[in-house]
Amino acid sequence: MLTLENVHIYYGHIHAVKGISFEVRKGEITTLIGANGAGKSTTLKAICGIVHPRQGAIYLNGQPVHRLPPHKLVSQGIGYVPEGRRVFPVLTVDENLEMGAYHRTDADGIAQDKARMYELFPALKGRERQLAGSLSGGEQQMLAIARALMSRPQILVMDEPSLGLAPMLVQHVFEIIAELNRQGITILLSEQNARAALKIAHHGVVLETGRIRFMDTAEALRENPVVQHAYLGIA
């Protein structure tokens, strides 16, 4: 569904991503793992049109998309859950969900999807009129995921969804991601919690200083001694 070919990304003179190539298969979860500064978030921002590669190409369903702006990519089927949640704090929960469907005109479908989000994320149910900024961190993460789902994405791109959450909430977030995938949504997940990410993913890509160090099935990466030592806390 999604293919990156020899992608190079710069911030000014800083070469942040250095010629990476990988693919995300339809119906699967692919995870990017690596330390801070490895290039995970930058890669996701390029896929979502927030930054553009200086070299290389990104394809969605075989069509080049690396020069499209973010709003066009949402219409093409890419949903984005940014790092740090980034909900609209002065809008209500319901208004945040409507923002996720800003490009849609099917009022009945939007209403049905909102109802589905409240069933999928029961922590938000009954809080439709509550300001998003007053929610807990875990509730804001649920809202950020639900907002992205309101665009009816083909692929959901998620940047560090467990960041800053209590361990119990981290487990809940990963359960939700696995359930969304079972419902047919393709997911690209950037995550520092490599152990949890590789547990639910089908494939993984290990980034180090902007380059791919390893790329394999999640099971193989879990058994890789270098990955175990560097990212899974296994001596």
Side-chain angles (χ1 to χ4, degrees):
M1 177 177 285
L2 182 73
T3 304
L4 280 73
E5 291 185 355
N6 192 34
V7 169
H8 292 258
I9 306 168
Y10 290 77
Y11 291 116
H13 296 296
I14 298 173
H15 196 177
V17 173
K18 305 167 184 175
I20 65 172
S21 301
F22 67 89
E23 64 180 24
V24 179
R25 299 178 184 177
K26 184 176 181 179
E28 293 189 350
I29 299 174
T30 297
T31 185
L32 302 183
I33 62 174
N36 278 334
K40 304 187 305 296
S41 292
T42 297
T43 300
L44 298 194
K45 288 177 180 178
I47 292 167
C48 297
I50 298 168
V51 298
H52 296 291
R54 188 176 297 183
Q55 182 181 336
I58 301 172
Y59 298 92
L60 180 66
N61 295 319
Q63 300 299 312
V65 296
H66 50 281
R67 296 300 176 197
L68 295 180
H71 68 282
K72 292 288 187 183
L73 290 169
V74 173
S75 299
Q76 293 285 328
I78 296 179
Y80 181 45
V81 182
E83 181 181 352
R85 300 175 280 278
R86 298 296 184 93
V87 297
F88 298 103
V90 298
L91 299 183
T92 66
V93 169
D94 208 60
E95 288 167 339
N96 268 267
L97 294 181
E98 289 177 357
M99 289 297 291
Y102 78 94
H103 68 294
R104 295 172 54 184
T105 58
D106 56 324
D108 289 343
I110 291 171
Q112 291 170 5
D113 284 352
K114 280 203 294 185
R116 176 172 166 262
M117 290 305 108
Y118 289 121
E119 293 301 321
L120 187 60
F121 302 98
L124 303 178
K125 199 167 187 178
R127 301 191 177 195
E128 293 88 343
R129 297 184 183 278
Q130 185 171 337
L131 294 181
S134 68
L135 298 175
S136 70
E139 291 162 349
Q140 288 186 15
Q141 187 63 71
M142 302 301 139
L143 179 56
I145 297 171
R147 181 182 59 190
L149 292 173
M150 287 295 296
S151 68
R152 290 188 176 178
Q154 297 182 53
I155 180 169
L156 189 62
V157 177
M158 310 181 75
D159 194 0
E160 302 283 1
S162 74
L163 186 68
L165 300 183
M168 185 179 300
L169 288 175
V170 169
Q171 180 179 349
H172 183 50
V173 165
F174 281 103
E175 288 171 354
I176 288 171
I177 294 169
E179 176 58 29
L180 292 173
N181 180 245
R182 284 191 291 269
Q183 293 178 11
I185 297 176
T186 303
I187 294 172
L188 175 59
L189 168 70
S190 165
E191 184 56 63
Q192 281 194 316
N193 189 336
R195 182 186 298 273
L198 290 173
K199 188 174 181 180
I200 65 169
H202 299 89
H203 290 85
V205 179
V206 180
L207 293 180
E208 286 187 4
T209 60
R211 303 182 190 275
I212 293 177
R213 175 77 186 276
F214 298 107
M215 183 166 54
D216 212 327
T217 65
E219 181 179 6
L221 290 175
R222 289 197 302 269
E223 299 301 320
N224 183 310
V226 176
V227 174
Q228 288 180 343
H229 177 71
Y231 301 106
L232 304 182
I234 300 175

